[in-house]
Structure formats: structure tokens, C-alpha cells
């Protein structure tokens, strides 16, 4: 499903803007009609449960269908629970320094080495999450970890703040859980390929014009790339750019076919082709999931 006009003019040079919907990472769980956030044990468990609940409560603000968050007492179709753990490890060590102990004519002629005490602090955070279906089954079970290492010495740096670091971990995990449990819309730009090697002179000029048009009119740029392809088919950069045009227009099957052909004819763009194939596969799944969710009967009442 596309959100808005993906081929509208873009401010970024030599790029096309793509707007689409990516599926939930846990697609099975995302189709549950209702879920609730239950008990989270361990240090920062309450904070993580609250952070997840806050994010799930905003579902629907982008106009997409989604699982409905309800209180645990209303018999949700799925109950999300978890356990957290935080560990902090401080390891002492020393570092060497040098200082001048004798100068002559304003220059240091003799130095001495000395050592200072330092600390290496490692903060680890782990959250084990389980979404249990009321009728049985476990459609979502993950472990998420975060870690941070920070060093400081008696003559430089400051000790890391454990509280703020762990708070950042909690918010990061909660944001990831939201992406796990519901589709989300994204808008992004991808740079077009600009190599004209192998094109006839007239086609190369039109190709260059298409690249310039991406700065102001993506749809017009794609039309010119299509003209170049008719004159000089299977040119690597043109094939890649037409795949990107199809991606931006929501024609994901066509985009996948063109990216696959671009792998053959634009070997230097191999990394970008792989990313493109991954995106259009996910976008196609997102569009499919959204259509299926919109077709589901609405959740009504409170006796779920």
C-alpha cells in the first residue's frame, strides 16, 4: 500500500522518493485482534512495560490497521509479558602518560612516564518477551539485548550515567517491539544510478536529462528512463532506475523483476540491487498484510 504520491518532486539530488508500508516483523502476532501488556519482571521491567504500552497506544495514528491494545482484564487475544535484566561491570585498569620534567630554551629535554587509574564500565541490558495467544500458542517470543562500554580516567573523561544509559536501552527496545507487532509506513529516498557507459550518444543525453529531472519531477524522470530503455534495452543503470521507479509507484512485482535483471546488467550496483530486492519483498508483504487486516471484521465490545 502506498502512502501519498511517491513520485512527487523531491528536494534531494539524483534520488527518487519511495513511500510504502513495511509489515510487522512478527507478522502472525500482528493479526491478533487485541493484545494487552501484562507483567514484566526484573529491574526496569515496569519501565519497559510502560514504554511498550505507550508506543502501542499510538497505533493507528498513521491510518494503518493494527492490533488493538486493551487492558489485561478484558481477555485479550494475546498477552505480552517479559523479564528484564541489567548488569553493570566496572573494571579497573591503568594508562600511561608522559610529562615534561626538564626544559631548556623553552623546549622539553626530558620526560617521565607515569600511570593514571582508569575505569572501563560495561552496561548490559536484556529483555525476554513472550506474547501468548489466549487460545494457545506463542506467536511472538524474542530476546533483545543492548550494551554500552564507556571508559574514563582520573585525569580525563567522566563516569557514564547508568540510569540514563539504561533508560535509552528501554526506549530503544520498546520502539523495536512496536515495529515487531504492527505494520508501519516509511518515506525514504534512494539514489539513482548515473553510469551512462555503453549507451548510444542520443540515449546517453536523454539518460542525463532523466537524472537531472529527479531533482524536480520524479514521474517525468521515470518516463524518460523508460524512453531510454526502449532505445537501448538492458542497460544496467537504466534497468536499476526503472526498478526504483516501479518500487516508488507501488508496482512491487515489476520492481522485483527489474532489480533481478539489474543484477545481471549492473554488476557494480550489486549491493544496491540486493537492498532493493529486500525492500520490495517487504513492501509487497506490507501491502498484503494491510489489505488482509482491512478485510477483518472490526473489534467490538469489551468482552473479548
Amino acid at each position: 500500500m502506498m502512502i501519498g504520491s511517491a513520485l512527487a518532486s523531491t528536494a534531494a539530488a539524483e534520488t527518487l522518493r519511495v513511500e510504502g508500508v513495511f509489515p510487522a516483523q512478527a507478522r502472525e502476532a500482528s493479526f491478533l485482534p487485541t493484545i494487552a501488556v501484562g507483567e514484566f519482571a526484573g529491574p526496569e521491567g515496569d519501565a519497559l512495560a510502560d514504554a511498550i504500552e505507550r508506543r502501542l497506544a499510538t497505533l493507528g495514528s498513521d491510518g494503518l490497521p493494527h492490533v488493538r491494545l486493551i487492558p489485561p482484564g478484558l481477555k485479550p487475544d494475546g498477552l505480552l509479558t517479559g523479564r528484564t535484566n541489567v548488569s553493570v561491570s566496572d573494571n579497573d585498569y591503568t594508562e600511561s602518560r608522559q610529562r615534561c620534567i626538564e626544559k631548556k630554551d623553552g623546549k622539553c629535554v626530558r620526560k617521565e612516564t607515569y600511570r593514571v587509574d582508569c575505569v572501563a564500565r560495561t552496561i548490559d541490558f536484556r529483555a525476554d518477551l513472550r506474547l501468548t495467544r489466549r487460545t494457545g500458542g506463542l506467536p511472538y517470543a524474542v530476546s533483545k539485548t543492548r550494551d554500552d562500554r564507556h571508559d574514563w580516567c582520573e585525569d580525563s573523561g567522566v563516569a557514564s550515567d547508568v540510569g540514563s544509559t539504561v533508560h535509552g536501552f528501554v526506549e530503544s527496545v520498546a520502539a523495536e517491539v512496536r515495529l515487531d507487532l504492527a505494520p508501519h509506513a516509511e518515506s525514504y529516498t534512494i539514489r539513482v544510478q548515473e553510469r551512462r557507459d555503453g549507451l548510444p550518444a542520443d540515449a546517453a543525453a536523454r539518460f542525463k536529462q532523466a537524472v537531472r529531472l529527479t531533482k524536480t519531477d520524479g514521474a517525468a524522470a521515470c518516463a524518460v528512463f523508460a524512453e531510454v530503455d526502449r532505445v537501448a534495452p538492458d542497460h544496467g543503470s537504466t534497468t536499476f532506475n526503472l526498478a526504483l521507479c516501479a518500487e516508488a509507484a507501488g508496482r512491487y512485482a515489476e520492481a522485483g523483476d527489474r532489480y533481478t535483471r539489474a543484477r545481471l546488467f549492473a554488476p557494480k550496483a550489486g549491493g544496491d540491487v540486493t537492498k532493493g530486492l529486500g525492500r520490495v519483498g517487504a513492501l509487497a508483504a506490507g501491502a498484503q498484510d494491510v489489505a488482509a487486516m482491512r478485510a477483518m471484521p472490526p473489534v467490538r465490545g469489551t468482552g473479548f
Side-chain angles (χ1 to χ4, degrees):
M1 175 181 177
M2 302 304 295
I3 307 298
S5 175
L7 291 178
S9 299
T10 63
E14 293 86 34
T15 64
L16 289 179
R17 178 167 295 282
V18 182
E19 298 177 352
V21 176
F22 289 87
Q25 292 297 308
R27 293 178 72 187
E28 180 184 357
S30 72
F31 277 90
L32 291 172
T34 61
I35 63 172
V37 178
E39 181 181 355
F40 276 58
E44 301 299 324
D46 289 343
L48 179 57
D50 178 69
I52 292 173
E53 196 163 9
R54 278 189 282 107
R55 281 165 175 76
L56 295 182
T58 67
L59 292 177
S61 59
D62 54 6
L64 295 177
H66 57 88
V67 63
R68 181 174 172 182
L69 180 69
I70 64 173
L74 294 182
K75 297 181 181 179
D77 296 284
L79 181 64
L80 181 66
T81 59
R83 176 174 293 277
T84 62
N85 185 63
V86 178
S87 66
V88 180
S89 174
D90 287 348
N91 294 307
D92 298 331
Y93 69 100
T94 62
E95 289 184 357
S96 61
R97 303 279 193 270
Q98 284 191 327
R99 60 189 167 201
C100 183
I101 59 173
E102 183 179 344
K103 289 186 177 181
K104 186 174 183 181
D105 298 329
K107 296 182 178 180
C108 183
V109 296
R110 191 157 66 96
K111 297 179 180 179
E112 72 170 2
T113 300
Y114 66 100
R115 304 195 71 81
V116 297
D117 293 329
C118 302
V119 177
R121 171 171 290 169
T122 301
I123 306 172
D124 291 296
F125 178 80
R126 178 186 175 101
D128 296 306
L129 309 174
R130 294 166 58 91
L131 181 63
T132 307
R133 188 186 287 112
R134 182 159 59 96
T135 56
L138 194 68
Y140 178 65
V142 296
S143 294
K144 297 185 181 293
T145 60
R146 301 289 189 272
D147 65 82
D148 177 80
R149 179 189 163 104
H150 181 74
D151 296 12
W152 70 92
C153 299
E154 59 183 314
D155 64 343
S156 61
V158 295
S160 60
D161 186 318
V162 175
S164 62
T165 300
V166 172
H167 174 75
F169 291 161
V170 166
E171 295 298 322
S172 171
V173 168
E176 199 171 283
V177 171
R178 180 260 175 268
L179 296 180
D180 288 347
L181 297 180
H184 69 284
E186 283 192 26
S187 175
Y188 53 92
T189 57
I190 304 295
R191 193 174 188 90
V192 299
Q193 297 290 315
E194 299 181 48
R195 293 177 179 273
R196 289 171 282 159
D197 307 8
L199 283 173
D202 289 348
R206 291 291 280 160
F207 183 95
K208 185 176 181 180
Q209 178 192 15
V211 170
R212 286 199 302 267
L213 278 170
T214 62
K215 300 178 182 180
T216 57
D217 192 336
C222 288
V224 177
F225 283 132
E227 291 177 16
V228 174
D229 185 60
R230 286 191 289 272
V231 174
D234 293 336
H235 177 256
S237 294
T238 309
T239 302
F240 178 92
N241 293 344
L242 286 174
L244 179 54
C245 288
E247 177 183 347
R251 304 191 303 270
Y252 303 130
E254 176 190 337
D257 290 343
R258 290 188 182 275
Y259 277 127
T260 300
R261 290 184 67 78
R263 191 183 294 284
L264 297 175
F265 300 110
K268 292 183 178 179
D272 291 330
V273 168
T274 298
K275 292 176 183 177
L277 284 168
R279 287 194 309 273
V280 296
L283 289 166
Q288 177 184 343
D289 286 0
V290 165
M293 289 177 183
R294 291 197 191 282
M296 294 171 62
V299 177
R300 300 185 185 279
T302 57
F304 305 102

